[in-house]
Amino acid sequence: MKTGGWKDWFEMAGLAAILVSLVFLGYQLRQDQLIARSELASASFEMQIDINQQLLDPDFAKTYVAMLERPEELSLQQKLQIDALFHSVVRLFVRECFMLARDIFVECHGIIRNNVRRYFGNPYGQAWWRDNRYYYPQAPLPEWLDEEIENMDPNTTREALERFGKPR
């Protein structure tokens, strides 16, 4: 009888150890998931910083202003630079929307709404969108995006830039 009692006690201790291990494993998985989400968010911010860094380059800033003011005078090199910028912006949109579709990150609509006017609220950006939108056929971009770009006032980008620094 005494050996059976010890045996039961060891079995209970073993079961308790297994249970504690499972709880710890669940905690570790949760921590790993939080770390992964943080890394994904960090990568999104890095993409946005990279895009903004392009605009900080003085030569590219001149190209961007020329796109807004005199798009018909852009050189082939300038068009390639703007094309690369716009593709980077759309890749950011696509990435965020893929993560939203998988319940990983929920910033898709906010990021698009915050950036769409800056890049596509001008005649050149709107024409670029019409010509390049279908390079991303599988992208889960919001249904409202095409309509918003098409119906946006062509002076939106310029007006937004002119408002910077002015008191409201």
Side-chain angles (χ1 to χ4, degrees):
M1 192 81 171
K2 238 180 183 178
T3 57
W6 282 104
K7 181 181 174 189
D8 290 342
W9 189 86
F10 283 122
E11 284 180 12
M12 291 299 258
L15 288 173
I18 290 171
L19 184 61
V20 168
S21 296
L22 289 174
V23 168
F24 181 73
L25 179 64
Y27 175 77
Q28 284 297 106
L29 289 173
R30 177 73 178 139
Q31 291 299 316
D32 288 347
Q33 184 183 33
L34 290 172
I35 290 169
R37 285 179 186 236
S38 296
E39 288 174 355
L40 288 169
S42 177
S44 295
F45 293 129
E46 286 176 21
M47 285 180 78
Q48 291 179 51
I49 289 169
D50 289 344
I51 290 167
N52 288 333
Q53 287 293 335
Q54 290 180 40
L55 294 173
L56 290 175
D57 177 87
D59 292 330
F60 187 76
K62 291 175 188 172
T63 296
Y64 195 76
V65 169
M67 177 203 67
L68 295 174
E69 295 177 346
R70 303 172 310 283
E72 65 283 348
E73 296 177 17
L74 291 174
S75 70
L76 183 58
Q77 178 185 0
Q78 291 172 316
K79 289 178 182 179
L80 286 171
Q81 289 174 318
I82 292 169
D83 183 66
L85 172 73
F86 285 170
H87 276 291
S88 295
V89 169
V90 174
R91 276 191 221 93
L92 173 66
F93 292 174
V94 169
R95 181 181 189 284
E96 296 303 313
C97 291
F98 268 122
M99 289 194 295
L100 174 65
R102 286 158 183 77
D103 291 328
I104 297 172
F105 202 52
V106 295
E107 297 299 319
C108 168
H109 296 278
I111 286 174
I112 290 175
R113 288 210 187 272
N114 288 337
N115 286 288
V116 72
R117 287 175 178 81
R118 175 186 287 182
Y119 301 106
F120 303 107
N122 58 78
Y124 191 91
Q126 291 168 329
W128 184 94
W129 180 258
R130 281 191 296 277
D131 292 344
N132 291 276
R133 164 63 172 99
Y134 297 101
Y135 287 128
Y136 303 92
Q138 304 301 319
L141 293 169
E143 293 177 13
W144 51 262
L145 183 57
D146 290 315
E147 185 176 336
E148 180 154 331
I149 291 173
E150 278 304 313
N151 294 329
M152 197 177 303
D153 181 333
N155 294 312
T156 302
T157 302
R158 187 184 187 107
E159 289 169 0
L161 291 172
E162 288 172 352
R163 276 194 310 268
F164 288 157
K166 291 185 180 177
R168 292 184 182 200

